[in-house]
């Protein structure tokens, strides 16, 4: 790994999602939406790097990440919940194909919202939410990351869906062609897509069937 950095804070933002802030290495340059390979600097974990998206802006003095912890996975994200200020992590050089390419529909599943956090925040700074729509699918309402922030942005259209909470007014099946056809009226625009690989594969296929152009579907390479 290229950089060893010290955490300055670890704070919960949902029941299982944490906001990590840390020192920013010199010459660590990236675009909003890009990620890095991150490993925990502890015995047994240094070789267990995983990709996580920077949620800070490129010009911020510190780096920040929003990471969902999966306690039942017994892996890197499970360890995140045990980290605190003063612990160290290791970072590789930034990478990633998800970057802001103009207005469009942002489709996220669960922790797949993270590349869109810095992109949408950057748009909020410039007041440029023209023709921007966030479609965010989660298991339950308590899983919706930064819901109040998204609802508070003037001009950003938001649609929240939950798949495992039947008593919620947001309850819906997994994102599919029918739901997308109901929510979207222009399939010639940009589509930003991030989430679990099966979801990305299914939604991408559905978007293309509905008329979206392959070169306007912005997601990670190989997904």
């Amino acid at each position: 790994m290229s950089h060893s950095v010290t955490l300055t804070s670890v704070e919960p933002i949902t029941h299982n999602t944490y906001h990590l802030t840390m020192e920013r290495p010199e010459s660590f340059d990236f675009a909003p939406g890009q990620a890095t390979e991150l490993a925990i600097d502890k015995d047994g974990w240094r070789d267990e790097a995983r990709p996580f998206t920077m949620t800070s802006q490129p010009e911020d003095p510190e780096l920040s990440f929003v990471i969902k912890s999966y306690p039942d996975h017994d892996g890197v994200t499970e360890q995140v919940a045990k980290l605190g200020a003063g612990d160290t992590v290791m970072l590789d050089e930034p990478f990633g194909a998800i970057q802001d390419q103009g207005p469009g529909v942002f489709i996220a599943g669960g922790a797949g919202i993270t590349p869109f956090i810095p992109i949408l925040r950057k748009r909020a700074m410039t007041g440029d939410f023209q023709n921007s729509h966030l479609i965010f699918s989660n298991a339950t309402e308590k899983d919706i990351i930064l819901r109040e922030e998204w609802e508070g942005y003037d001009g950003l259209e938001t649609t929240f869906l939950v798949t495992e909470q039947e008593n919620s007014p947001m309850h819906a099946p997994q994102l599919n062609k029918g739901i997308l056809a109901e929510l979207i009226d222009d399939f010639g625009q940009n589509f930003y897509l991030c989430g679990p690989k099966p979801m990305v594969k299914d939604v991408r296929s559905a978007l293309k069937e509905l008329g979206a152009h392959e070169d306007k579907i912005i997601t990670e390479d190989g997904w």
Side-chain angles (χ1 to χ4, degrees), residues 205-223:
S205 295
L207 288 170
K208 289 165 70 175
E209 289 176 17
L210 289 164
H213 303 292
E214 175 72 40
D215 61 354
K216 290 194 173 184
I217 301 175
I218 302 154
T219 190
E220 287 303 339
D221 294 337
W223 281 47

Side-chain angles (χ1 to χ4, degrees), residues 100-104 106 118-133 153-157 192:
D100 193 346
Q101 297 185 32
F106 296 80
I119 293 174
L120 294 174
R121 284 177 173 170
K122 189 73 169 182
R123 288 184 168 273
M125 292 177 196
T126 60
D128 184 15
F129 278 126
Q130 183 178 5
N131 300 321
S132 293
H133 181 185
Y153 284 150
D154 187 25
L156 176 64
E157 182 181 357
Y192 298 82

Side-chain angles (χ1 to χ4, degrees), residues 5 35 37 45 49 65 71 77 87 99 127 144 170 200 202:
V5 297
E37 291 279 338
W45 294 102
F65 295 80
T77 64
D87 287 331
Q99 299 182 40
I144 302 173
M170 302 174 184
V200 170
D202 291 346

Side-chain angles (χ1 to χ4, degrees), residues 1-7 20 22 36-52 65 67 75-77 79-80 83 87-93:
M1 306 297 284
S2 302
H3 309 281
S4 178
V5 297
T6 302
L7 295 175
L20 282 65
M22 62 194 68
T36 182
E37 291 279 338
L38 180 150
I40 296 169
D41 191 10
K42 292 182 178 180
D43 291 345
W45 294 102
R46 294 185 182 92
D47 294 329
E48 299 293 327
R50 298 291 185 274
F52 296 106
F65 295 80
I67 299 178
V76 173
T77 64
Q79 292 293 310
V80 165
L83 294 174
D87 287 331
T88 57
V89 296
M90 299 181 295
L91 308 176
D92 225 330
E93 293 305 318

Side-chain angles (χ1 to χ4, degrees), residues 40-207:
I40 296 169
D41 191 10
K42 292 182 178 180
D43 291 345
W45 294 102
R46 294 185 182 92
D47 294 329
E48 299 293 327
R50 298 291 185 274
F52 296 106
T53 305
M54 285 73 71
T55 53
S56 46
Q57 297 298 324
E59 64 272 16
D60 289 347
E62 287 191 313
L63 289 178
S64 68
F65 295 80
V66 171
I67 299 178
K68 189 169 184 177
S69 180
Y70 299 88
D72 56 335
H73 286 194
D74 193 28
V76 173
T77 64
E78 184 259 345
Q79 292 293 310
V80 165
K82 303 175 183 179
L83 294 174
D87 287 331
T88 57
V89 296
M90 299 181 295
L91 308 176
D92 225 330
E93 293 305 318
F95 67 92
I98 298 179
Q99 299 182 40
D100 193 346
Q101 297 185 32
V105 180
F106 296 80
I107 303 174
I113 189 67
T114 54
F116 306 151
I117 293 173
I119 293 174
L120 294 174
R121 284 177 173 170
K122 189 73 169 182
R123 288 184 168 273
M125 292 177 196
T126 60
D128 184 15
F129 278 126
Q130 183 178 5
N131 300 321
S132 293
H133 181 185
L134 172 62
I135 300 173
F136 192 8
S137 179
N138 286 275
T140 69
E141 289 189 37
K142 70 178 182 179
D143 295 310
I144 302 173
I145 298 169
L146 300 174
R147 176 180 173 179
E148 292 184 359
E149 180 174 343
W150 310 133
E151 290 178 327
Y153 284 150
D154 187 25
L156 176 64
E157 182 181 357
T158 55
T159 300
F160 301 112
L161 307 171
V162 297
T163 58
E164 298 179 12
Q165 186 179 344
E166 295 185 4
N167 65 348
S168 169
M170 302 174 184
H171 183 252
Q174 299 284 348
L175 277 169
N176 56 43
K177 183 177 176 181
I179 294 173
L180 294 169
E182 289 181 11
L183 295 174
I184 301 165
D185 56 14
D186 175 13
F187 287 92
Q189 61 186 314
N190 288 323
F191 292 92
Y192 298 82
L193 178 57
C194 190
K197 283 189 177 182
M199 175 207 136
V200 170
K201 179 180 177 181
D202 291 346
V203 171
R204 187 179 203 161
S205 295
L207 288 170

